[in-house]
């Protein structure tokens, strides 16, 4: 008993050895059962079970996190490659009619699926993608939107809000210019 549990550090080492198979359980529990109480073996086995489950959960958590990160990276790469295939070159521009005509295209359907949006909302998505409001989208605008719009609907809602704020800013600037002009007269 003194050898395995004589000091706090030695007791911690004994318990560590028990869960890592550094020492045989029987060697560690027999002195406790004989000199303390036979019921201590129940506590000892409970400690081993809990410690083993904790260790297994940590390893499982690390593994699952790694797999999820890899899957997310693969999904992003797939989405970008899929989006690139909709444009013949990086310089090509696509207006609303061309965008609308490609809605039946498998790559376009995968794009909408990748950003978790229904294709029936294509006009709104086109407006969001058309950052410079030119009436057409470039390959760069489209690829940037793939990264920006994917994820939960909160990302899409934030993008819609940003678009509406741009419009409000334009209107406020126009009103401010009109007020300044009328004040100057």
């Amino acid at each position: 008993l003194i050898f395995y549990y004589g000091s706090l550090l030695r007791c911690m080492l004994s318990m560590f050895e028990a869960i890592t198979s550094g020492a045989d359980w029987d060697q560690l529990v027999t002195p406790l059962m004989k000199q303390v109480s036979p019921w201590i073996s129940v506590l000892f086995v409970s400690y081993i079970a809990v410690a083993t489950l904790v260790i297994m959960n940590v390893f499982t958590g690390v593994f699952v996190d790694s797999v999820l990160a890899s899957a997310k990276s693969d999904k992003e790469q797939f989405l970008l490659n899929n989006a690139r295939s909709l444009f013949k070159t990086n310089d090509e521009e696509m207006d609303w009619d061309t965008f609308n005509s490609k809605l039946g295209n498998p790559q376009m359907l995968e794009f909408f699926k990748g950003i978790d949006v229904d294709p029936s909302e294509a006009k709104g998505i086109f407006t969001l993608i058309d950052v410079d409001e030119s009436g057409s989208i470039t390959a760069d605008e489209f690829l940037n939107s793939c990264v920006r719009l994917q994820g939960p609907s909160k990302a899409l809602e934030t993008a819609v809000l940003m678009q509406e704020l741009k419009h409000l800013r334009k209107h406020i600037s126009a009103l401010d210019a009109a007020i300044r002009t009328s004040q100057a007269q």
Side-chain angles (χ1 to χ4, degrees):
L1 184 67
I2 299 294
F3 178 74
Y4 292 118
Y5 305 103
S7 70
L8 180 63
L9 289 177
R10 183 59 193 158
C11 181
M12 288 171 53
L13 178 62
S14 296
M15 299 307 275
F16 178 75
E17 288 176 332
I19 62 171
T20 59
S21 297
D24 187 41
W25 291 8
D26 190 48
Q27 287 176 318
L28 296 172
V29 82
T30 301
L32 291 172
M33 287 173 47
K34 286 182 179 176
Q35 295 177 12
V36 178
S37 169
W39 291 100
I40 200 85
S41 63
V42 174
L43 290 174
F44 188 83
V45 170
S46 298
Y47 162 77
I48 299 296
V50 168
T52 303
L53 288 174
V54 166
I55 291 170
M56 287 176 22
N57 279 339
V58 168
F59 283 123
T60 302
V62 169
F63 175 74
V64 167
D65 186 51
S66 172
V67 168
L68 289 176
S70 176
K72 182 180 180 191
S73 175
D74 289 348
K75 179 184 175 187
E76 288 174 357
Q77 193 61 40
F78 174 75
L79 188 61
L80 288 174
N81 287 337
N82 205 19
R84 275 192 195 102
S85 69
L86 291 168
F87 289 85
K88 294 180 181 95
T89 65
N90 280 350
D91 299 333
E92 181 186 1
E93 290 195 9
M94 188 185 306
D95 61 3
W96 164 244
D97 293 329
T98 309
F99 187 85
N100 193 26
S101 69
K102 291 189 175 192
L103 284 177
N105 188 325
Q107 286 90 357
M108 187 66 85
L109 293 174
E110 283 295 322
F111 165 72
F112 279 100
K113 183 179 176 186
I115 62 170
D116 295 326
V117 175
D118 190 70
S120 65
E121 299 177 26
K123 182 66 175 169
I125 295 297
F126 182 84
T127 305
L128 285 174
I129 294 172
D130 186 16
V131 177
D132 61 2
E133 298 178 357
S134 63
S136 63
I137 57 174
T138 63
D140 286 337
E141 286 176 322
F142 192 74
L143 293 174
N144 287 336
S145 73
C146 285
V147 174
R148 190 171 44 111
L149 295 177
Q150 65 181 326
S153 62
K154 290 180 183 176
L156 182 60
E157 292 166 358
T158 303
V160 169
L161 284 173
M162 288 174 57
Q163 188 74 13
E164 289 176 4
L165 283 174
K166 280 184 189 179
H167 289 293
L168 283 173
R169 192 178 323 141
K170 280 185 180 181
H171 290 299
I172 290 172
S173 295
L175 283 171
D176 184 43
I179 291 171
R180 289 180 192 269
T181 304
S182 69
Q183 286 177 347
Q185 294 175 355

